[in-house]
Amino acid sequence: MTGLEGILWRVAHGREIELGRRSTIMAIINVTPDSFSDGGRFETVDAVVEHALRAVSEGAAIIDIGGESTRPGAAAVSPSEEQARVLPVIEALRGRTEALISIDTYRAETARLAVSAGAHIVNDVFGLQKEPDIANIAAATGAGLCIMHTGRDRAKLPDVIADQVHFLKQSLAIATASGVNSDRIVLDPGFGFAKETAEENLELMARFSELSRFGLPLLAGTSRKRFLGAVTGREAPDRDAATAASSALLRLQGAAVFRVHNVAINRDALDIADAMLNARQEFERKRPT
């Protein structure tokens, strides 16, 4: 999927969203004390809900709620603790916004409960390969799936795109075997997830368009990542401008969905990228053959 082609992403509860013609923002909403850039900022359900609604007002179409930090070295939480953090937020948001709700989890039971509570999408940072039953839950409920590539807990291939293809093919095989239709799936190359150096992440950015071979919408999640700090010298809370620049660049390479902390600055950057893509498309349409 490249350029300004539109495709419907079908998700749970009979909802759908068009991806491609305009960049789509997924707002990161962490219900955690230890996330790498905003852990502990929102300590009550009401505070989290207000933060999420503010993100929607700034241009987010999807709210991605996570109850366990995925930063390197973060302590794992129990399934019951994760669920106690996220389910009240999902239930509170369900009746207050038309934005789609995503649950950021690799646990099948958390995914099942979250979709039952009102979530439309399951965002799995282990690409269905830690708890493959997530695919069965998605098939049974019609939930959308974000399938993310990771290099954690395994040996990677030396070529950054070859490893993406190797891993994501396995994930897609799990989804297919469970009966998940392709119109439910978005792929995420997992910037920063066991891509240890700035060079590896920058190569992934530079070659991002090669992932169009899958024919599926692509999600870019560079927000405040360490490799942006390596380039700019800035700490995590001060990397929003760098995030917006990387979002715009990845939009030009075919990304459709952008998972970010700061919605407003990324919405502006992506509006410019979208406008340029529209102008290029119009020029190509009018150019004599």
Side-chain angles (χ1 to χ4, degrees):
M1 178 179 171
T2 58
L4 297 177
E5 302 160 2
I7 186 170
L8 287 179
W9 186 17
R10 302 186 190 280
V11 300
H13 310 299
R15 297 286 301 277
E16 61 188 27
I17 183 172
E18 186 181 54
L19 303 179
R21 295 189 189 279
R22 187 187 187 213
S23 51
T24 298
I25 290 182
M26 172 187 278
I28 299 168
I29 308 296
N30 289 318
V31 195
T32 57
D34 58 345
S35 291
F36 77 99
S37 75
D38 60 356
R41 287 188 60 200
F42 309 104
E43 296 182 351
T44 68
V45 171
D46 287 345
V48 176
V49 168
E50 290 307 313
H51 175 50
L53 294 176
R54 185 163 53 251
V56 173
S57 72
E58 292 173 345
I62 305 169
I63 303 164
D64 190 43
I65 300 166
E68 179 178 331
S69 174
T70 55
R71 66 176 174 82
V77 302
S78 68
S80 59
E81 175 64 20
E82 179 189 37
Q83 292 154 20
R85 292 174 178 180
V86 301
L87 294 177
V89 175
I90 294 169
E91 290 164 355
L93 280 169
R94 180 176 56 188
R96 296 192 60 183
T97 179
E98 287 299 305
L100 298 178
I101 300 171
S102 169
I103 176 64
D104 180 358
T105 188
Y106 57 84
R107 293 187 175 97
E109 181 63 6
T110 301
R112 184 186 69 79
L113 292 170
V115 175
S116 180
H120 305 91
I121 296 160
V122 179
N123 179 15
D124 183 357
V125 298
F126 279 94
L128 311 180
Q129 296 187 39
K130 196 174 186 73
E131 294 197 14
D133 197 40
I134 282 183
N136 293 325
I137 291 164
T141 62
L145 274 180
C146 290
I147 296 176
M148 198 193 80
H149 171 281
T150 184
R152 292 181 180 177
D153 303 332
R154 67 181 182 86
K156 294 191 302 181
L157 299 176
D159 181 82
V160 65
I161 297 299
D163 193 68
Q164 290 276 331
V165 172
H166 171 74
F167 182 90
L168 292 173
K169 278 186 174 180
Q170 293 180 62
S171 296
L172 290 170
I174 293 168
T176 299
S178 295
V180 179
N181 293 330
S182 61
D183 61 0
R184 305 276 173 181
I185 297 172
V186 165
L187 298 181
D188 176 357
F191 285 98
F193 280 78
K195 289 87 172 170
E196 303 299 345
T197 66
E199 290 76 15
E200 185 176 2
N201 285 280
L202 290 167
E203 181 179 350
L204 181 56
M205 276 190 66
R207 299 177 62 189
F208 187 87
S209 62
E210 295 180 44
L211 298 175
S212 64
R213 71 182 67 191
F214 288 103
L216 293 167
L218 299 173
L219 183 152
T222 60
S223 191
R224 299 180 181 172
K225 291 292 173 72
R226 184 170 53 186
F227 81 95
L228 298 177
V231 174
T232 64
R234 296 187 181 276
E235 296 301 316
D238 299 319
R239 294 173 189 162
D240 289 335
T243 300
S246 66
S247 293
L249 290 168
L250 288 164
R251 175 61 172 153
L252 301 185
Q253 293 211 64
V257 183
F258 301 83
R259 185 176 181 274
V260 303
H261 295 87
N262 184 325
V263 172
I265 192 172
N266 281 274
R267 182 71 274 164
D268 284 354
L270 289 165
D271 281 347
I272 296 298
D274 287 345
M276 195 218 75
L277 287 170
N278 276 293
R280 182 167 69 187
Q281 185 179 66
E282 185 66 12
F283 171 76
E284 293 293 338
R285 187 184 67 81
K286 292 179 176 178
R287 185 166 60 179
T289 57

